[in-house]
Amino acid sequence: MVLKNFACTVPRSLSYLPLRKVVHLFGALFPVIAVYSGKETAVGLVIFLTFLFLGMELIKPKIRSYSLFKVLWRKNEYEKFASAPLLYLVSILALLLLSYRLDEGICYASIVVLAVGDGLATIIGIHGKMCYGDSSKTIEGTAAGILGAIICGFPFAGPLSIAGGIAGMYVEARSERSDNLTVPFAALLGMLVMQFLVNIYVSITA
């Protein structure tokens, strides 16, 4: 009976593009680049990709007929500016810059939540059977996103990645738009709050 109450009644999104989500997952490489090649290298690469994307948007009318772009752009992005990829790159860039001021491990783990957590939530969720009410997003997708975000974020933030994964995927499950912006910063906030609470507990019990 409980599982029946979560049965999906809303048609699944037709804008799901597997290759686009694979590219989405590769965003998790930016923290790795920052660790092994330096933050400046990672920041420079994101800035380069951002300008490359903006350049592609400018010439979109001339290249949108190519098959490669048909598997990367959603239908509503053929005529309009594709804001989602830009927000994705801007979020990664912002978190890399914040890592100069905040705990870099937490900032890197937040990027992982965006790239891996959000990516898996769609890749696994599209095949899920249990939805949230009248939403097309699935419980299976959220669970996969949380698990992936925690496992891949753990090397950067340790146990704090649990708070980041849960916070980020909670927002993802409720977001309809701009999740490339809301998910990573929800994860960042979740980990910062948890870090603050842990520090208070340690100071009290020390």
Side-chain angles (χ1 to χ4, degrees):
M1 178 62 70
V2 175
L3 293 179
K4 185 177 181 180
N5 292 336
F6 287 101
C8 295
T9 59
V10 178
R12 217 55 54 83
S13 173
L14 298 178
S15 62
Y16 170 61
L17 301 169
L19 181 58
R20 181 177 173 128
K21 282 301 173 182
V22 170
V23 173
H24 192 98
L25 290 172
F26 274 97
L29 291 177
F30 288 107
V32 177
I33 293 172
V35 170
Y36 291 101
S37 299
K39 295 180 187 179
E40 292 77 11
T41 301
V43 169
L45 181 56
V46 176
I47 292 175
F48 169 76
L49 291 174
T50 301
F51 278 105
L52 179 62
F53 167 76
L54 291 173
M56 288 174 58
E57 284 296 302
L58 287 175
I59 62 173
K60 181 189 288 184
K62 296 181 180 180
I63 64 174
R64 61 188 173 201
S65 60
Y66 289 94
S67 59
L68 174 62
F69 298 100
K70 290 181 180 180
V71 296
L72 289 175
W73 278 324
R74 298 188 180 113
K75 289 184 178 180
N76 65 346
E77 294 173 342
Y78 277 102
E79 302 297 334
K80 299 179 181 179
F81 182 80
S83 60
L86 179 62
L87 289 178
Y88 178 80
L89 290 168
V90 167
S91 292
I92 292 176
L93 178 60
L95 287 165
L96 286 172
L97 294 176
L98 282 172
S99 71
Y100 285 97
R101 294 289 183 179
L102 302 177
D103 185 312
E104 63 180 22
I106 289 178
C107 293
Y108 296 161
S110 298
I111 295 174
V112 170
V113 174
L114 169 62
V116 178
D118 186 36
L120 288 179
T122 301
I123 294 172
I124 302 300
I126 200 72
H127 305 290
K129 303 297 183 182
M130 296 182 290
C131 292
Y132 299 102
D134 57 356
S135 171
S136 63
K137 295 189 176 183
T138 66
I139 294 174
E140 295 95 329
T142 300
I146 291 174
L147 185 60
I150 292 173
I151 292 174
C152 296
F154 198 90
F156 301 106
L160 290 175
S161 63
I162 299 173
I166 293 174
M169 290 301 97
Y170 173 81
V171 169
E172 191 280 334
R174 293 179 171 272
S175 297
E176 294 299 329
R177 296 179 180 179
S178 303
D179 57 351
N180 284 339
L181 188 62
T182 58
V183 167
F185 288 99
L188 178 71
L189 180 60
M191 285 185 278
L192 288 175
V193 169
M194 183 58 67
Q195 184 184 55
F196 176 73
L197 294 175
V198 169
N199 289 339
I200 290 179
Y201 174 78
V202 171
S203 64
I204 292 175
T205 58

